Amino acid sequence: MVAMTPEQLAERRHEFQVVDVRWPNEWEAGHIEGSVHVPEDDLDDRLDELDAARPVVTVCRSGHRSERAAEELRAEGFRAENLEGGVLAWAEAGLPLVTPAGTAGEVAEPEPPPDDRPAFDQRLQSEMMSVLMDLQAEFGDRRPSDEEVRGFLRRRMIAEGRSPEEADEVLSRI
């Protein structure tokens, strides 16, 4: 983990692109002056908005989301560090946050934006995550063979009410 303290960033802020990866409500409540708002979920699509020649410090509420963002940026060739402790540590150090209007800001609880994907997509994602979590529970860190995965899926479908024949039909199509 490559991290910078709030005091170090405050002293050298002009040297860095400060990229705030928090949700919109967090950014609007208060952010580090001069930072750029690029929510973590949008980072891949907005890399071209960052100057690859300038070092980056990523920021979130506590330092966890921004550490992932810094790792992603380093994988893309950026020199990226994480703000240790996030804006919570920044505010605790007595350093200012501002709102987009330029008034004094504060640290807000994260509120993810509503999921505007179609209900079918949301259900599909939820079901896929459930299957993946169950696969992880079944096989742990070991990579199962294709046959083991098919057997797992067949048992799962039967347990959910499909007949063995229906399960076999589904599996024959994948």
Side-chain angles (χ1 to χ4, degrees):
M1 178 164 113
V2 181
M4 175 175 287
T5 68
E7 294 81 7
Q8 289 169 325
L9 178 58
E11 187 176 298
R12 301 175 45 213
R13 188 168 55 196
H14 64 279
E15 298 174 29
F16 298 94
Q17 299 172 89
V18 179
V19 178
D20 192 317
V21 299
R22 296 175 300 152
W23 297 114
N25 79 293
E26 295 173 279
W27 163 264
E28 291 164 10
H31 56 269
I32 297 170
E33 189 170 7
S35 62
V36 177
H37 185 224
V38 182
E40 182 183 16
D41 290 344
D42 298 341
L43 192 57
D44 279 342
D45 297 329
R46 295 181 55 192
L47 289 175
D48 61 337
E49 296 177 29
L50 303 177
D51 181 353
R54 286 190 65 211
V56 174
V57 174
T58 55
V59 178
C60 71
R61 179 180 166 79
S62 65
H64 297 292
R65 289 176 283 172
S66 54
E67 176 55 32
R68 288 191 307 262
E71 288 173 7
E72 182 177 330
L73 288 170
R74 286 191 294 270
E76 293 292 332
F78 286 84
R79 290 175 291 148
E81 297 183 46
N82 180 39
L83 178 62
E84 186 176 289
V87 294
L88 285 171
W90 179 270
E92 286 173 10
L95 297 165
L97 296 170
V98 297
T99 68
T103 60
E106 62 186 17
V107 180
E109 291 292 326
E111 294 176 17
D115 190 342
D116 60 356
R117 295 175 301 150
F120 174 81
D121 292 352
Q122 292 179 43
R123 273 193 318 276
L124 180 61
Q125 179 183 4
S126 178
E127 290 173 20
M128 289 298 296
M129 290 305 297
S130 176
V131 169
L132 291 172
M133 296 304 286
D134 288 349
L135 271 169
Q136 172 89 41
E138 177 84 11
F139 297 105
D141 292 332
R142 171 176 85 74
R143 182 183 165 109
S145 69
D146 288 349
E147 193 58 37
E148 288 174 311
V149 171
R150 287 180 174 283
F152 167 82
L153 292 172
R154 185 176 191 274
R155 288 188 304 277
R156 183 182 172 101
M157 285 187 274
I158 292 169
E160 291 176 348
R162 293 195 185 222
S163 71
E165 295 77 22
E166 289 173 319
D168 291 340
E169 171 62 27
V170 169
L171 290 169
S172 73
R173 289 183 271 152
I174 53 176

